[in-house]
Every structure is written in structure tokens, then in C-alpha cells.
Amino acid sequence: EEMKTRNLPPETFRTQLDASIKANLTSTQQKHKTKLDVASHFILRAAYCRTEDLRRWFLAQECRLFRHRLENLSRSSSTNNSGLREFLANNDFDLDPVSREEKERLSDKLQKVPGGPTSPGEFINTQYYRVPFVQALELVSRRECYVEKGQAYVPLARIVSIVAAKFRVALSKSLALAAGVFGQVAHDEASRIGPLLKSMNSQYTGPGAPNAVMGTDGENALTAATVDALADQSMPLCMQQLHQGLKRDHKLKHQGRLQFGLFLKGAGMSLEEHTLFFQREFTRIMTSEQFNKSYSYSIRHMHGKEGKRASYTPYNCMKIIFGNPPQSGVEHHGCPYKHYDDQNLSALLTKLKIGSVADRDVIMSHKKDGNFQLACAKHFEVSHPSATSVDGVNLDGVGNHPNAWFSASVSYHNAKNGGGASSSNIELKQGQGVAMAM
């Protein structure tokens, strides 16, 4: 998912995915490697079957991985695709091979298909399969197969899309069945694996996990004095909306305080600065005593100073996207690309002057296709021109974690402006110095 959000070229995507598979699903023994692969699949299948959004996300990732491996198998096989043939035979894929006589009858038409066999000898050695054309819509749309009387004639080298489609249908049915029994399983295993399965989708250990963002002066960039300027300059849209909601309403509901507060903590804001910033806003509509009584404890709790003194981590994009949606006009948490309707999101992007009209159209297209993280990554791309060529800017995790987005943006502006995140280089908004004295 992280590589997808970076819009990598196909060859680079394949290379990096191979490296990720090698790093995370590798064992010295083939038997252990297979067991690790199978176990991880079924654990994730159990964890991601609970809701429609989780099932859709897991289905997309598994189908992408399955297709990648199948294409690798096809490329690594000999010219007759022996590895792919063996896979199809071992897994009982019901494919109807085209007889030699029928292939000869259709030889002229089959050889005219773009990208097919280029010589008579290659055509003779190519195995073709006949499938209902509705199973080959991807190939039909690209004119990469011959269709006659409702049947698509597909060469073995292009059977990958057919097999991947069958895999998708089978996995989708399995996830739906698993969803029906998840509640009982989670109840029966409440003391063992139930909590793990319920929280797995909210965990994030990939690139761009939160670290304190430092300014050019070596100090934490994010303080009560700099947060307003950094919100406009470097925060992703979800955190900008929370910040603007706080500045407008001078309070945040519980989910908003958690999402924004943990983000600030992960970005390096200290407990003292966090308390000072929230107190400055909340006490515009309440007394300091009311703030201390109702809200200061929860801030200390976030920072591990109260309760069980646990270290809470900021929300990643998956947790925000699949979390409870905000109530319109009352709450400000969530992901704008997921939870805003098309009209409101389009108006917001225009108001913030994010990119050109064409750029905003691309962002809206990603939103409508359900690719919310791609929309966020596109926002970063248009707001930080040529970021990939700027030294010191780590783009890993952009589109997967708000803190990675923020860290990359601050690094970008530091490099471009010679210290955009330093407290000495961020201009305080009018009146902010007075508020700091409260």
C-alpha cells in the first residue's frame, strides 16, 4: 500500500515489492517459508474480515500480491511457461485448453492479436485457453485476446489476469463467510487472540512511523508558538481540519482530541507545550479551572503520565480511514478524502488553492475511486514540487501516516527555505504572543 501511494513506475514497484517480500516473508528453509506465508495470510484474513471497508482493502492488497507472484512465475519460467503450467495443474484451475485443430482454424485471427506470438514457430508452441469473455474483460478492454461466440481465446502468457480474477472471487467469498463467524470466534478467543485480531488493522510499523520533527536549530519544531504556522505549511489535510476546527470552536470532541493530540505528540510536541496550546484555545470559552478539571488529565494520559502510563502512538491513515466517521458540523476528526462528500471536498481543495484545477481533478478522481491515500499523496506531490529530488526529504510513509507527511513537509521546507521549521524562522500570528502568556 505504501508503494502504491508513491506512484512508482511498474518496474520499480516490482523490484521494491520483491525486496519487501524477501525481507518479511523469508526463511532459510522452503517449508518454513511456505508456513510463514500461509499463516500470515490467514491471520490477516481473520483480522480484516470484520467490515466491508476492511475486506475491500485486504482483498485489493492480496490480489495485488497474488498477481505479482504469478507474473514473476511466468517471467522466470522457460519459454513454454512450465512454472505457470505447473501452478495451474497443482491448483485445479478449471481452464479449457484449445485443441490443435481449433487453433489451426483460428490461426490467422489469433496471430493478429497485438502482442501475441510473432513467428509461426512461437505460435505453434503457444498454448491457448478458451474462457467465457466475461472472465477476460480486462484483456478484452485492452484488445489482448480474440473473442468469438462469447468465448475469449487467451494465450498462456496472458492467463494471469484470468487466474487473478478467479482468485479475487474465491477470496471475496471466503472473507464474507469469515465475517459471519468472526463475532463468535472473537468471543471464544477473547483471552488469547481476540484483542489482536480486533486491533491489527490499526497497527503501523512501516516506513514513516512517527518521530519528533526537529528544526534547523536542533530543537523540536512543533511548539505552542509554532503550531499555527506549521499547520498551514506542513500538516496533511486531516490535521489541518482538526487545527482549524480547534481555532474556530476553541474545543474538540473526544475523537478529535485523540487524533490531533496523538499526532502532535508523535511530531515531537512536549507535554508542556501540548497542554499550553490546548489551554490557550479552550480557555477562550471556559475558565482555566474548568480546563484543568476536564481536559488536562487526558493530555497527561496521552503522554504516558497518568493511568497505566502507556505510550500511545499516533493514528496511521488506515486507523483514521476505518474509524468512526465524524458528525457533520460537530466533529472534525477522520479523513477528509474518505468522510467528506464530493461537493464539500472539492470546495475545500479550491478554497485552500491546492494545486491547479487539473491537480484537484486528479485528487477528486482518487477520492471517487476509493483511493483515499493516493489522493493524500497527490496533495503532498502538488504542494511540494520536485520533493523527490530534494536532499534530506524522506517520502516513505507519505500517504500512509500523517506524521510521515508532516515530517517530509517540514524537511522539504527546511531544505528549500533554509530553516522553514525552526522556531526562529516561523512568524507568529498576530496576537499569539499575548495568548502564550496565559
Side-chain angles (χ1 to χ4, degrees):
E1 180 69 21
E2 185 271 330
M3 286 183 282
K4 176 187 172 186
T5 62
R6 290 163 60 191
N7 292 319
L8 298 173
E11 189 57 40
T12 305
F13 183 93
R14 284 194 294 268
T15 301
Q16 294 195 11
L17 184 53
D18 282 332
S20 179
I21 292 171
K22 184 177 181 180
N24 297 291
L25 290 173
T26 298
S27 174
T28 54
Q29 300 182 27
Q30 180 62 33
K31 180 177 68 173
H32 292 161
K33 178 180 178 180
T34 302
K35 290 176 65 175
L36 178 65
D37 199 5
V38 171
S40 66
H41 169 82
F42 282 97
I43 291 171
L44 290 171
R45 183 189 288 196
Y48 280 81
C49 71
R50 292 179 292 131
T51 68
E52 179 64 29
D53 282 340
L54 290 177
R55 290 194 293 272
R56 188 184 302 114
W57 183 87
F58 177 70
L59 190 63
Q61 309 314 314
E62 282 298 293
C63 289
R64 189 177 295 117
L65 177 61
F66 177 79
R67 183 163 190 151
H68 170 78
R69 287 175 161 174
L70 209 56
E71 289 173 345
N72 276 357
L73 181 63
S74 179
R75 281 193 295 269
S76 62
S77 301
S78 58
T79 54
N80 63 354
N81 284 295
S82 58
L84 189 54
R85 290 174 187 268
E86 182 180 356
F87 173 83
L88 296 175
N90 291 341
N91 291 276
D92 298 323
F93 277 95
D94 186 20
L95 298 172
D96 183 16
V98 176
S99 65
R100 179 179 299 178
E101 293 76 14
E102 187 172 12
K103 189 167 81 167
E104 290 178 355
R105 178 179 68 83
L106 299 172
S107 61
D108 289 342
K109 296 181 176 64
L110 294 176
Q111 291 184 74
K112 290 179 180 178
V113 175
T118 57
S119 67
E122 186 180 354
F123 175 74
I124 292 174
N125 293 324
T126 298
Q127 174 67 61
Y128 280 82
Y129 293 90
R130 181 175 46 242
V131 298
F133 86 96
V134 293
Q135 296 182 14
L137 294 179
E138 181 181 338
L139 297 177
V140 172
S141 67
R142 298 200 301 254
R143 300 187 178 184
E144 292 183 348
C145 64
Y146 173 67
V147 179
E148 181 179 283
K149 297 180 180 179
Q151 299 292 311
Y153 292 79
V154 183
L156 178 61
R158 289 178 175 168
I159 208 68
V160 168
S161 65
I162 310 297
V163 176
K166 288 179 175 288
F167 173 78
R168 185 182 185 88
V169 171
L171 181 56
S172 181
K173 290 180 179 178
S174 298
L175 286 170
L177 291 173
V181 299
F182 180 86
Q184 184 62 45
V185 172
H187 179 268
D188 294 343
E189 298 288 347
S191 62
R192 197 163 67 98
I193 62 172
L196 172 66
L197 295 179
K198 289 180 178 179
S199 64
M200 189 170 292
N201 67 288
S202 65
Q203 305 301 313
Y204 182 81
T205 57
N211 288 304
V213 177
M214 309 303 289
T216 55
D217 53 8
E219 301 294 331
N220 282 343
L222 195 59
T223 67
T226 63
V227 63
D228 290 344
L230 280 171
D232 293 336
Q233 172 193 277
S234 293
M235 286 187 187
L237 194 58
C238 55
M239 299 305 164
Q240 281 188 355
Q241 291 304 100
L242 280 163
H243 178 264
Q244 290 176 12
L246 175 59
K247 299 294 287 185
R248 183 177 64 249
D249 301 337
H250 307 299
K251 63 179 181 178
L252 287 173
K253 295 288 188 179
H254 175 69
Q255 290 296 333
R257 294 197 304 274
L258 279 177
Q259 182 177 324
F260 194 38
L262 290 174
F263 166 80
L264 297 174
K265 172 179 176 281
M269 181 174 276
S270 67
L271 170 61
E272 293 75 17
E273 294 291 331
H274 187 169
T275 304
L276 183 61
F277 171 49
F278 270 41
Q279 184 181 38
R280 187 178 73 206
E281 295 302 327
F282 279 61
T283 52
R284 294 177 186 271
I285 60 171
M286 66 182 67
T287 65
S288 295
E289 290 75 16
Q290 288 174 318
F291 173 83
N292 290 330
K293 181 179 179 180
S294 301
Y295 300 104
S296 60
Y297 177 89
S298 64
I299 297 174
R300 294 196 303 273
H301 194 274
M302 284 185 210
H303 287 260
K305 302 300 182 182
E306 298 287 356
K308 61 181 180 180
R309 299 182 183 276
S311 178
Y312 296 95
T313 57
Y315 291 177
N316 62 57
C317 290
M318 293 300 297
K319 185 174 179 65
I320 294 172
I321 289 170
F322 293 132
N324 294 326
Q327 296 181 23
S328 177
V330 179
E331 297 178 311
H332 306 289
H333 67 275
C335 170
Y337 304 107
K338 162 74 172 179
H339 296 124
Y340 287 16
D341 61 34
D342 292 353
Q343 183 178 357
N344 285 337
L345 179 60
S346 179
L348 177 61
L349 297 177
T350 302
K351 177 183 176 182
L352 296 177
K353 299 179 180 179
I354 295 174
S356 64
V357 174
D359 292 327
R360 294 194 288 271
D361 287 344
V362 172
I363 293 174
M364 291 302 302
S365 177
H366 284 316
K367 182 258 195 299
K368 292 173 183 177
D369 292 340
N371 295 321
F372 311 116
Q373 291 163 272
L374 284 180
C376 189
K378 181 63 177 179
H379 175 195
F380 184 93
E381 178 187 326
V382 301
S383 302
H384 303 80
S386 305
T388 54
S389 62
V390 178
D391 291 338
V393 178
N394 182 5
L395 298 179
D396 290 346
V398 171
N400 283 313
H401 205 298
N403 288 83
W405 206 105
F406 177 72
S407 178
S409 178
V410 171
S411 298
Y412 174 88
H413 289 289
N414 274 340
K416 285 287 189 178
N417 304 326
S422 171
S423 58
S424 62
N425 287 290
I426 293 182
E427 182 180 353
L428 299 183
K429 293 187 177 181
Q430 185 176 5
Q432 187 170 326
V434 177
M436 291 291 292
M438 292 181 62

PDB file of all heavy atoms in Angstrom, residues 319-348:
ATOM      1  N   LYS A 319      -6.154   3.554  10.362  1.00  0.00           N
ATOM      2  CA  LYS A 319      -6.997   3.700  11.552  1.00  0.00           C
ATOM      3  C   LYS A 319      -7.943   4.891  11.403  1.00  0.00           C
ATOM      4  O   LYS A 319      -9.107   4.825  11.824  1.00  0.00           O
ATOM      5  CB  LYS A 319      -6.118   3.868  12.793  1.00  0.00           C
ATOM      6  CG  LYS A 319      -6.912   3.907  14.102  1.00  0.00           C
ATOM      7  CD  LYS A 319      -5.989   3.933  15.291  1.00  0.00           C
ATOM      8  CE  LYS A 319      -6.779   3.998  16.608  1.00  0.00           C
ATOM      9  NZ  LYS A 319      -7.577   2.787  16.845  1.00  0.00           N
ATOM     10  N   ILE A 320      -7.457   5.965  10.809  1.00  0.00           N
ATOM     11  CA  ILE A 320      -8.304   7.150  10.618  1.00  0.00           C
ATOM     12  C   ILE A 320      -9.398   6.871   9.592  1.00  0.00           C
ATOM     13  O   ILE A 320     -10.569   7.209   9.796  1.00  0.00           O
ATOM     14  CB  ILE A 320      -7.443   8.351  10.190  1.00  0.00           C
ATOM     15  CG1 ILE A 320      -6.483   8.755  11.318  1.00  0.00           C
ATOM     16  CG2 ILE A 320      -8.321   9.537   9.807  1.00  0.00           C
ATOM     17  CD1 ILE A 320      -5.454   9.799  10.918  1.00  0.00           C
ATOM     18  N   ILE A 321      -9.032   6.241   8.490  1.00  0.00           N
ATOM     19  CA  ILE A 321      -9.992   5.962   7.417  1.00  0.00           C
ATOM     20  C   ILE A 321     -11.092   5.023   7.882  1.00  0.00           C
ATOM     21  O   ILE A 321     -12.278   5.219   7.594  1.00  0.00           O
ATOM     22  CB  ILE A 321      -9.262   5.383   6.185  1.00  0.00           C
ATOM     23  CG1 ILE A 321      -8.422   6.472   5.504  1.00  0.00           C
ATOM     24  CG2 ILE A 321     -10.252   4.784   5.186  1.00  0.00           C
ATOM     25  CD1 ILE A 321      -7.496   5.946   4.427  1.00  0.00           C
ATOM     26  N   PHE A 322     -10.710   3.984   8.634  1.00  0.00           N
ATOM     27  CA  PHE A 322     -11.691   2.988   9.045  1.00  0.00           C
ATOM     28  C   PHE A 322     -12.298   3.278  10.423  1.00  0.00           C
ATOM     29  O   PHE A 322     -13.062   2.470  10.940  1.00  0.00           O
ATOM     30  CB  PHE A 322     -11.052   1.594   9.055  1.00  0.00           C
ATOM     31  CG  PHE A 322     -10.675   1.101   7.691  1.00  0.00           C
ATOM     32  CD1 PHE A 322      -9.431   0.552   7.451  1.00  0.00           C
ATOM     33  CD2 PHE A 322     -11.561   1.198   6.636  1.00  0.00           C
ATOM     34  CE1 PHE A 322      -9.081   0.099   6.190  1.00  0.00           C
ATOM     35  CE2 PHE A 322     -11.228   0.755   5.374  1.00  0.00           C
ATOM     36  CZ  PHE A 322      -9.983   0.195   5.147  1.00  0.00           C
ATOM     37  N   GLY A 323     -11.949   4.418  11.016  1.00  0.00           N
ATOM     38  CA  GLY A 323     -12.509   4.779  12.310  1.00  0.00           C
ATOM     39  C   GLY A 323     -13.921   5.326  12.190  1.00  0.00           C
ATOM     40  O   GLY A 323     -14.510   5.405  11.107  1.00  0.00           O
ATOM     41  N   ASN A 324     -14.494   5.712  13.328  1.00  0.00           N
ATOM     42  CA  ASN A 324     -15.851   6.257  13.324  1.00  0.00           C
ATOM     43  C   ASN A 324     -15.899   7.563  12.546  1.00  0.00           C
ATOM     44  O   ASN A 324     -15.077   8.457  12.773  1.00  0.00           O
ATOM     45  CB  ASN A 324     -16.320   6.507  14.760  1.00  0.00           C
ATOM     46  CG  ASN A 324     -16.480   5.217  15.542  1.00  0.00           C
ATOM     47  OD1 ASN A 324     -16.858   4.192  14.984  1.00  0.00           O
ATOM     48  ND2 ASN A 324     -16.185   5.270  16.834  1.00  0.00           N
ATOM     49  N   PRO A 325     -16.840   7.707  11.626  1.00  0.00           N
ATOM     50  CA  PRO A 325     -16.935   8.955  10.848  1.00  0.00           C
ATOM     51  C   PRO A 325     -17.386  10.113  11.729  1.00  0.00           C
ATOM     52  O   PRO A 325     -18.119   9.910  12.706  1.00  0.00           O
ATOM     53  CB  PRO A 325     -17.978   8.630   9.777  1.00  0.00           C
ATOM     54  CG  PRO A 325     -18.808   7.540  10.373  1.00  0.00           C
ATOM     55  CD  PRO A 325     -17.879   6.728  11.222  1.00  0.00           C
ATOM     56  N   PRO A 326     -16.971  11.325  11.387  1.00  0.00           N
ATOM     57  CA  PRO A 326     -17.379  12.494  12.194  1.00  0.00           C
ATOM     58  C   PRO A 326     -18.817  12.877  11.912  1.00  0.00           C
ATOM     59  O   PRO A 326     -19.343  12.654  10.821  1.00  0.00           O
ATOM     60  CB  PRO A 326     -16.421  13.586  11.717  1.00  0.00           C
ATOM     61  CG  PRO A 326     -16.096  13.200  10.302  1.00  0.00           C
ATOM     62  CD  PRO A 326     -16.073  11.696  10.277  1.00  0.00           C
ATOM     63  N   GLN A 327     -19.449  13.463  12.925  1.00  0.00           N
ATOM     64  CA  GLN A 327     -20.776  14.032  12.716  1.00  0.00           C
ATOM     65  C   GLN A 327     -20.611  15.410  12.086  1.00  0.00           C
ATOM     66  O   GLN A 327     -19.849  16.237  12.582  1.00  0.00           O
ATOM     67  CB  GLN A 327     -21.518  14.146  14.042  1.00  0.00           C
ATOM     68  CG  GLN A 327     -21.803  12.831  14.725  1.00  0.00           C
ATOM     69  CD  GLN A 327     -22.560  13.004  16.027  1.00  0.00           C
ATOM     70  OE1 GLN A 327     -23.232  14.004  16.220  1.00  0.00           O
ATOM     71  NE2 GLN A 327     -22.439  12.030  16.914  1.00  0.00           N
ATOM     72  N   SER A 328     -21.307  15.636  11.004  1.00  0.00           N
ATOM     73  CA  SER A 328     -21.136  16.858  10.230  1.00  0.00           C
ATOM     74  C   SER A 328     -21.371  18.098  11.080  1.00  0.00           C
ATOM     75  O   SER A 328     -22.385  18.217  11.770  1.00  0.00           O
ATOM     76  CB  SER A 328     -22.100  16.857   9.036  1.00  0.00           C
ATOM     77  OG  SER A 328     -21.997  18.052   8.307  1.00  0.00           O
ATOM     78  N   GLY A 329     -20.396  19.017  11.022  1.00  0.00           N
ATOM     79  CA  GLY A 329     -20.541  20.293  11.698  1.00  0.00           C
ATOM     80  C   GLY A 329     -20.246  20.278  13.182  1.00  0.00           C
ATOM     81  O   GLY A 329     -20.137  21.329  13.810  1.00  0.00           O
ATOM     82  N   VAL A 330     -20.119  19.091  13.756  1.00  0.00           N
ATOM     83  CA  VAL A 330     -19.901  18.969  15.194  1.00  0.00           C
ATOM     84  C   VAL A 330     -18.500  18.443  15.490  1.00  0.00           C
ATOM     85  O   VAL A 330     -17.826  18.912  16.404  1.00  0.00           O
ATOM     86  CB  VAL A 330     -20.955  18.045  15.835  1.00  0.00           C
ATOM     87  CG1 VAL A 330     -20.705  17.892  17.332  1.00  0.00           C
ATOM     88  CG2 VAL A 330     -22.357  18.581  15.576  1.00  0.00           C
ATOM     89  N   GLU A 331     -18.069  17.468  14.701  1.00  0.00           N
ATOM     90  CA  GLU A 331     -16.773  16.824  14.914  1.00  0.00           C
ATOM     91  C   GLU A 331     -15.867  17.083  13.716  1.00  0.00           C
ATOM     92  O   GLU A 331     -16.334  17.268  12.592  1.00  0.00           O
ATOM     93  CB  GLU A 331     -16.957  15.326  15.142  1.00  0.00           C
ATOM     94  CG  GLU A 331     -17.765  15.006  16.389  1.00  0.00           C
ATOM     95  CD  GLU A 331     -17.986  13.517  16.575  1.00  0.00           C
ATOM     96  OE1 GLU A 331     -18.407  12.862  15.611  1.00  0.00           O
ATOM     97  OE2 GLU A 331     -17.753  13.024  17.689  1.00  0.00           O
ATOM     98  N   HIS A 332     -14.567  17.048  13.958  1.00  0.00           N
ATOM     99  CA  HIS A 332     -13.607  17.395  12.907  1.00  0.00           C
ATOM    100  C   HIS A 332     -12.584  16.288  12.646  1.00  0.00           C
ATOM    101  O   HIS A 332     -11.665  16.480  11.864  1.00  0.00           O
ATOM    102  CB  HIS A 332     -12.865  18.681  13.284  1.00  0.00           C
ATOM    103  CG  HIS A 332     -13.765  19.823  13.607  1.00  0.00           C
ATOM    104  ND1 HIS A 332     -14.510  20.486  12.652  1.00  0.00           N
ATOM    105  CD2 HIS A 332     -14.085  20.423  14.793  1.00  0.00           C
ATOM    106  CE1 HIS A 332     -15.211  21.450  13.217  1.00  0.00           C
ATOM    107  NE2 HIS A 332     -14.979  21.429  14.522  1.00  0.00           N
ATOM    108  N   HIS A 333     -12.730  15.140  13.299  1.00  0.00           N
ATOM    109  CA  HIS A 333     -11.764  14.062  13.107  1.00  0.00           C
ATOM    110  C   HIS A 333     -12.075  13.313  11.801  1.00  0.00           C
ATOM    111  O   HIS A 333     -13.008  13.649  11.078  1.00  0.00           O
ATOM    112  CB  HIS A 333     -11.790  13.104  14.298  1.00  0.00           C
ATOM    113  CG  HIS A 333     -13.074  12.340  14.417  1.00  0.00           C
ATOM    114  ND1 HIS A 333     -14.187  12.843  15.060  1.00  0.00           N
ATOM    115  CD2 HIS A 333     -13.437  11.107  13.975  1.00  0.00           C
ATOM    116  CE1 HIS A 333     -15.166  11.956  15.016  1.00  0.00           C
ATOM    117  NE2 HIS A 333     -14.734  10.891  14.361  1.00  0.00           N
ATOM    118  N   GLY A 334     -11.275  12.289  11.530  1.00  0.00           N
ATOM    119  CA  GLY A 334     -11.482  11.475  10.338  1.00  0.00           C
ATOM    120  C   GLY A 334     -10.601  11.900   9.182  1.00  0.00           C
ATOM    121  O   GLY A 334      -9.716  12.745   9.312  1.00  0.00           O
ATOM    122  N   CYS A 335     -10.844  11.290   8.025  1.00  0.00           N
ATOM    123  CA  CYS A 335     -10.090  11.569   6.799  1.00  0.00           C
ATOM    124  C   CYS A 335     -10.988  12.339   5.833  1.00  0.00           C
ATOM    125  O   CYS A 335     -12.024  11.817   5.403  1.00  0.00           O
ATOM    126  CB  CYS A 335      -9.637  10.255   6.152  1.00  0.00           C
ATOM    127  SG  CYS A 335      -8.936  10.443   4.494  1.00  0.00           S
ATOM    128  N   PRO A 336     -10.636  13.557   5.464  1.00  0.00           N
ATOM    129  CA  PRO A 336     -11.488  14.327   4.541  1.00  0.00           C
ATOM    130  C   PRO A 336     -11.748  13.609   3.222  1.00  0.00           C
ATOM    131  O   PRO A 336     -12.849  13.719   2.660  1.00  0.00           O
ATOM    132  CB  PRO A 336     -10.691  15.616   4.327  1.00  0.00           C
ATOM    133  CG  PRO A 336      -9.857  15.761   5.554  1.00  0.00           C
ATOM    134  CD  PRO A 336      -9.489  14.354   5.935  1.00  0.00           C
ATOM    135  N   TYR A 337     -10.745  12.867   2.720  1.00  0.00           N
ATOM    136  CA  TYR A 337     -10.917  12.177   1.439  1.00  0.00           C
ATOM    137  C   TYR A 337     -11.920  11.036   1.559  1.00  0.00           C
ATOM    138  O   TYR A 337     -12.593  10.683   0.597  1.00  0.00           O
ATOM    139  CB  TYR A 337      -9.570  11.647   0.948  1.00  0.00           C
ATOM    140  CG  TYR A 337      -8.530  12.724   0.824  1.00  0.00           C
ATOM    141  CD1 TYR A 337      -7.478  12.817   1.741  1.00  0.00           C
ATOM    142  CD2 TYR A 337      -8.606  13.683  -0.177  1.00  0.00           C
ATOM    143  CE1 TYR A 337      -6.526  13.820   1.638  1.00  0.00           C
ATOM    144  CE2 TYR A 337      -7.668  14.694  -0.274  1.00  0.00           C
ATOM    145  CZ  TYR A 337      -6.634  14.756   0.642  1.00  0.00           C
ATOM    146  OH  TYR A 337      -5.705  15.764   0.552  1.00  0.00           O
ATOM    147  N   LYS A 338     -12.034  10.464   2.735  1.00  0.00           N
ATOM    148  CA  LYS A 338     -12.981   9.372   2.974  1.00  0.00           C
ATOM    149  C   LYS A 338     -14.339   9.896   3.436  1.00  0.00           C
ATOM    150  O   LYS A 338     -15.389   9.438   2.961  1.00  0.00           O
ATOM    151  CB  LYS A 338     -12.383   8.436   4.035  1.00  0.00           C
ATOM    152  CG  LYS A 338     -13.370   7.503   4.733  1.00  0.00           C
ATOM    153  CD  LYS A 338     -13.818   6.385   3.848  1.00  0.00           C
ATOM    154  CE  LYS A 338     -14.648   5.383   4.670  1.00  0.00           C
ATOM    155  NZ  LYS A 338     -15.128   4.269   3.852  1.00  0.00           N
ATOM    156  N   HIS A 339     -14.350  10.843   4.361  1.00  0.00           N
ATOM    157  CA  HIS A 339     -15.580  11.192   5.067  1.00  0.00           C
ATOM    158  C   HIS A 339     -16.295  12.420   4.529  1.00  0.00           C
ATOM    159  O   HIS A 339     -17.450  12.643   4.879  1.00  0.00           O
ATOM    160  CB  HIS A 339     -15.267  11.374   6.554  1.00  0.00           C
ATOM    161  CG  HIS A 339     -14.786  10.119   7.220  1.00  0.00           C
ATOM    162  ND1 HIS A 339     -13.581  10.029   7.898  1.00  0.00           N
ATOM    163  CD2 HIS A 339     -15.325   8.887   7.276  1.00  0.00           C
ATOM    164  CE1 HIS A 339     -13.424   8.810   8.365  1.00  0.00           C
ATOM    165  NE2 HIS A 339     -14.463   8.102   8.000  1.00  0.00           N
ATOM    166  N   TYR A 340     -15.634  13.243   3.709  1.00  0.00           N
ATOM    167  CA  TYR A 340     -16.324  14.386   3.106  1.00  0.00           C
ATOM    168  C   TYR A 340     -17.011  13.941   1.824  1.00  0.00           C
ATOM    169  O   TYR A 340     -16.501  13.085   1.093  1.00  0.00           O
ATOM    170  CB  TYR A 340     -15.338  15.507   2.782  1.00  0.00           C
ATOM    171  CG  TYR A 340     -14.806  16.271   3.972  1.00  0.00           C
ATOM    172  CD1 TYR A 340     -14.920  15.771   5.263  1.00  0.00           C
ATOM    173  CD2 TYR A 340     -14.168  17.487   3.805  1.00  0.00           C
ATOM    174  CE1 TYR A 340     -14.421  16.460   6.355  1.00  0.00           C
ATOM    175  CE2 TYR A 340     -13.658  18.193   4.892  1.00  0.00           C
ATOM    176  CZ  TYR A 340     -13.791  17.666   6.156  1.00  0.00           C
ATOM    177  OH  TYR A 340     -13.295  18.355   7.230  1.00  0.00           O
ATOM    178  N   ASP A 341     -18.156  14.535   1.518  1.00  0.00           N
ATOM    179  CA  ASP A 341     -18.772  14.239   0.222  1.00  0.00           C
ATOM    180  C   ASP A 341     -18.021  14.992  -0.871  1.00  0.00           C
ATOM    181  O   ASP A 341     -17.188  15.868  -0.601  1.00  0.00           O
ATOM    182  CB  ASP A 341     -20.260  14.569   0.217  1.00  0.00           C
ATOM    183  CG  ASP A 341     -20.559  16.043   0.479  1.00  0.00           C
ATOM    184  OD1 ASP A 341     -19.762  16.907   0.052  1.00  0.00           O
ATOM    185  OD2 ASP A 341     -21.590  16.337   1.107  1.00  0.00           O
ATOM    186  N   ASP A 342     -18.306  14.649  -2.119  1.00  0.00           N
ATOM    187  CA  ASP A 342     -17.548  15.201  -3.245  1.00  0.00           C
ATOM    188  C   ASP A 342     -17.627  16.720  -3.300  1.00  0.00           C
ATOM    189  O   ASP A 342     -16.617  17.409  -3.542  1.00  0.00           O
ATOM    190  CB  ASP A 342     -18.059  14.613  -4.565  1.00  0.00           C
ATOM    191  CG  ASP A 342     -17.760  13.131  -4.702  1.00  0.00           C
ATOM    192  OD1 ASP A 342     -17.048  12.594  -3.830  1.00  0.00           O
ATOM    193  OD2 ASP A 342     -18.242  12.511  -5.663  1.00  0.00           O
ATOM    194  N   GLN A 343     -18.812  17.258  -3.061  1.00  0.00           N
ATOM    195  CA  GLN A 343     -19.003  18.705  -3.178  1.00  0.00           C
ATOM    196  C   GLN A 343     -18.197  19.455  -2.119  1.00  0.00           C
ATOM    197  O   GLN A 343     -17.506  20.435  -2.421  1.00  0.00           O
ATOM    198  CB  GLN A 343     -20.488  19.041  -3.044  1.00  0.00           C
ATOM    199  CG  GLN A 343     -20.796  20.531  -3.217  1.00  0.00           C
ATOM    200  CD  GLN A 343     -22.296  20.817  -3.132  1.00  0.00           C
ATOM    201  OE1 GLN A 343     -23.102  19.911  -2.998  1.00  0.00           O
ATOM    202  NE2 GLN A 343     -22.649  22.087  -3.209  1.00  0.00           N
ATOM    203  N   ASN A 344     -18.249  18.986  -0.865  1.00  0.00           N
ATOM    204  CA  ASN A 344     -17.529  19.664   0.210  1.00  0.00           C
ATOM    205  C   ASN A 344     -16.023  19.553   0.044  1.00  0.00           C
ATOM    206  O   ASN A 344     -15.286  20.517   0.284  1.00  0.00           O
ATOM    207  CB  ASN A 344     -17.949  19.093   1.568  1.00  0.00           C
ATOM    208  CG  ASN A 344     -19.325  19.562   1.990  1.00  0.00           C
ATOM    209  OD1 ASN A 344     -19.805  20.592   1.534  1.00  0.00           O
ATOM    210  ND2 ASN A 344     -19.980  18.814   2.853  1.00  0.00           N
ATOM    211  N   LEU A 345     -15.556  18.373  -0.367  1.00  0.00           N
ATOM    212  CA  LEU A 345     -14.115  18.194  -0.547  1.00  0.00           C
ATOM    213  C   LEU A 345     -13.607  19.065  -1.690  1.00  0.00           C
ATOM    214  O   LEU A 345     -12.560  19.719  -1.571  1.00  0.00           O
ATOM    215  CB  LEU A 345     -13.776  16.726  -0.808  1.00  0.00           C
ATOM    216  CG  LEU A 345     -12.288  16.433  -1.030  1.00  0.00           C
ATOM    217  CD1 LEU A 345     -11.456  16.835   0.184  1.00  0.00           C
ATOM    218  CD2 LEU A 345     -12.066  14.955  -1.355  1.00  0.00           C
ATOM    219  N   SER A 346     -14.343  19.099  -2.800  1.00  0.00           N
ATOM    220  CA  SER A 346     -13.932  19.915  -3.939  1.00  0.00           C
ATOM    221  C   SER A 346     -13.877  21.396  -3.559  1.00  0.00           C
ATOM    222  O   SER A 346     -12.925  22.110  -3.915  1.00  0.00           O
ATOM    223  CB  SER A 346     -14.903  19.707  -5.109  1.00  0.00           C
ATOM    224  OG  SER A 346     -14.529  20.498  -6.209  1.00  0.00           O
ATOM    225  N   ALA A 347     -14.876  21.843  -2.801  1.00  0.00           N
ATOM    226  CA  ALA A 347     -14.898  23.240  -2.360  1.00  0.00           C
ATOM    227  C   ALA A 347     -13.722  23.533  -1.429  1.00  0.00           C
ATOM    228  O   ALA A 347     -13.111  24.612  -1.499  1.00  0.00           O
ATOM    229  CB  ALA A 347     -16.216  23.546  -1.665  1.00  0.00           C
ATOM    230  N   LEU A 348     -13.380  22.568  -0.563  1.00  0.00           N
ATOM    231  CA  LEU A 348     -12.264  22.760   0.366  1.00  0.00           C
ATOM    232  C   LEU A 348     -10.940  22.848  -0.382  1.00  0.00           C
ATOM    233  O   LEU A 348     -10.108  23.720  -0.095  1.00  0.00           O
ATOM    234  CB  LEU A 348     -12.231  21.615   1.377  1.00  0.00           C
ATOM    235  CG  LEU A 348     -11.075  21.631   2.383  1.00  0.00           C
ATOM    236  CD1 LEU A 348     -11.126  22.885   3.248  1.00  0.00           C
ATOM    237  CD2 LEU A 348     -11.114  20.372   3.252  1.00  0.00           C
TER     238      LEU A 348
END
